[in-house]
Amino acid sequence: MATRLGLGLPQNKQYDLGRDVPDVARAAERIGYESLWVYERALFPEPATQGLYGIEGLPWPDAYRGVAEPLVTLTLAAAATERARLGTSVLVAPLHVPFQLAKALATLDAASGGRVIAGFGTGWSLDEYAAASVRPFEERGQVLDELIEVCRAVWGPDPVSYDGHLTKIASAVVGPKPARPIPILLAASSPKAQRRLVDSADGWMPVGMGAEALAKQWKQLQELAAERGRTEPIQTVLRANPHYLAGGYDGSDRQPFQGGVDQIVEDLAAHAEVGLEEILIDLQGTTRDAQELKDVAAEVFEKARAAGI
């Protein structure tokens, strides 16, 4: 069975959002991509007070200057498509008020006919937390735990009630409801985050940083699930960025398509061998405009399928 393929939507500064997001979304669905994805970067600190991913000295990519709000972007794509699933990879959950995020996702799922995938992470940017978070950076894990619980409550039957640290819902009717249970996927790279995933989430959203490392992480997660008695399968979506697939990123803004589409497909094939269900291919950082993004997405899809991915 072929790996499902998804495409990252154009959110970066070089795109015209109102025109390009619906255009790329429609084209991706015609090409055969089964899902459309957004990511979250709230701001670009200048000067940077912290390296990329919190790694000292690692610069932020220039593409992060002006990333469109993810749920607005996804709504534009939802209105332009009929079948493609609509995912977040990922929302930095503690930057959002839990109740409001749960209701926004439920509304989008109801409006799109049950196509939303909620991918959450805790993020790493201290500047984003200073600007937008509902609690301090040190409490990010607890916020994510509560957000997952609030989503399950809000998306469930009425009357809804919840008594948490951030969220207090007295018995209430909360609608609209999702068209079906929205799957929650977590980035989950640390042992503690993996335990949260196994116990509370539907699936895993790793980033492709080399096939060997991915296979090791996937094996560890499956072993952990067995140890903790999980019987439900773990849904999987791999985020594949051409800058990262071969096993690392040095922080530079590389030239578009360094290595070319053939190299991208070769790297995708190696990651597909690990056996995850779906691969999200995010090309927007390597293309100059929407037309180039559509052209490269079509070529990648065609060559990936020809390669058995």
Side-chain angles (χ1 to χ4, degrees), residues 39 52 77 118 241 280 299:
Y39 74 105
L52 185 68
N241 183 316
L280 143 66
E299 186 178 359

Side-chain angles (χ1 to χ4, degrees), residues 201-213:
D202 299 293
W204 184 43
M205 302 197 79
V207 174
M209 298 286 280
E212 185 176 346

Side-chain angles (χ1 to χ4, degrees), residues 277-289:
E277 296 170 310
E278 185 163 0
I279 299 177
L280 143 66
I281 307 166
D282 194 356
L283 300 166
Q284 65 174 308
T286 58
T287 52
R288 291 165 293 193
D289 54 33

Side-chain angles (χ1 to χ4, degrees), residues 175-245:
K177 298 297 183 184
R180 91 298 188 223
I182 298 174
I184 294 176
L185 280 63
L186 302 180
S189 57
S190 71
K192 185 174 182 179
Q194 289 187 345
R195 289 193 296 272
R196 176 185 294 115
L197 187 161
V198 167
D199 294 343
S200 304
D202 299 293
W204 184 43
M205 302 197 79
V207 174
M209 298 286 280
E212 185 176 346
L214 177 67
K216 183 178 179 181
Q217 279 191 305
W218 179 222
K219 182 181 178 184
Q220 289 173 342
L221 187 60
Q222 290 173 301
E223 291 173 348
L224 179 63
E227 290 171 9
R228 298 181 75 83
R230 178 176 176 132
T231 56
E232 293 182 3
I234 297 174
Q235 299 177 36
T236 51
V237 179
L238 171 71
R239 182 182 185 86
N241 183 316
H243 286 171
Y244 297 74
L245 275 176

Side-chain angles (χ1 to χ4, degrees), residues 8-22:
L9 290 167
Q11 294 174 262
N12 295 350
K13 62 178 184 176
Q14 70 266 41
Y15 300 104
D16 181 319
L17 296 170
R19 180 190 66 204
D20 292 347
V21 172

Side-chain angles (χ1 to χ4, degrees), residues 35-295:
S35 54
L36 302 166
W37 298 84
V38 291
Y39 74 105
E40 182 161 40
R41 274 277 69 81
L43 48 72
F44 187 102
E46 196 169 46
T49 56
Q50 180 189 28
L52 185 68
Y53 309 129
I55 301 172
E56 185 176 357
L58 190 62
W60 290 47
D62 190 63
Y64 286 175
R65 295 176 181 270
V67 177
E69 201 284 329
L71 293 186
V72 172
T73 306
L74 213 55
T75 301
L76 290 169
T81 56
E82 297 178 355
R83 301 178 306 278
R85 286 170 297 115
L86 307 161
T88 61
S89 177
V90 294
L91 290 179
V92 183
L95 304 186
H96 299 265
V97 175
F99 178 82
Q100 292 176 333
L101 180 59
K103 180 149 184 171
L105 289 168
T107 302
L108 182 56
D109 193 73
S112 65
R115 294 192 278 152
V116 171
I117 305 164
F120 296 149
T122 54
W124 47 267
S125 170
L126 299 177
D127 292 282
E128 289 183 339
Y129 270 77
S133 68
V134 296
R135 295 297 299 165
F137 182 77
E138 293 74 21
E139 298 179 25
R140 60 195 182 281
Q142 296 97 302
V143 174
L144 178 54
D145 287 335
E146 179 161 325
L147 189 144
I148 292 171
E149 292 177 354
V150 170
C151 284
R152 303 287 196 206
V154 168
W155 299 342
D158 291 322
V160 175
S161 61
Y162 184 84
D163 186 9
H165 184 60
L166 292 169
T167 310
K168 310 285 185 182
I169 308 172
S171 183
V173 173
V174 183
K177 298 297 183 184
R180 91 298 188 223
I182 298 174
I184 294 176
L185 280 63
L186 302 180
S189 57
S190 71
K192 185 174 182 179
Q194 289 187 345
R195 289 193 296 272
R196 176 185 294 115
L197 187 161
V198 167
D199 294 343
S200 304
D202 299 293
W204 184 43
M205 302 197 79
V207 174
M209 298 286 280
E212 185 176 346
L214 177 67
K216 183 178 179 181
Q217 279 191 305
W218 179 222
K219 182 181 178 184
Q220 289 173 342
L221 187 60
Q222 290 173 301
E223 291 173 348
L224 179 63
E227 290 171 9
R228 298 181 75 83
R230 178 176 176 132
T231 56
E232 293 182 3
I234 297 174
Q235 299 177 36
T236 51
V237 179
L238 171 71
R239 182 182 185 86
N241 183 316
H243 286 171
Y244 297 74
L245 275 176
Y249 176 61
D250 61 8
S252 63
D253 285 304
R254 306 182 188 184
Q255 294 298 313
F257 312 124
Q258 184 170 3
V261 169
D262 289 342
Q263 183 62 57
I264 293 173
V265 173
E266 182 180 329
D267 292 336
L268 287 174
H271 285 74
E273 287 293 322
V274 176
L276 303 188
E277 296 170 310
E278 185 163 0
I279 299 177
L280 143 66
I281 307 166
D282 194 356
L283 300 166
Q284 65 174 308
T286 58
T287 52
R288 291 165 293 193
D289 54 33
Q291 187 59 55
E292 187 176 17
L293 176 54
K294 291 186 294 182
D295 291 345

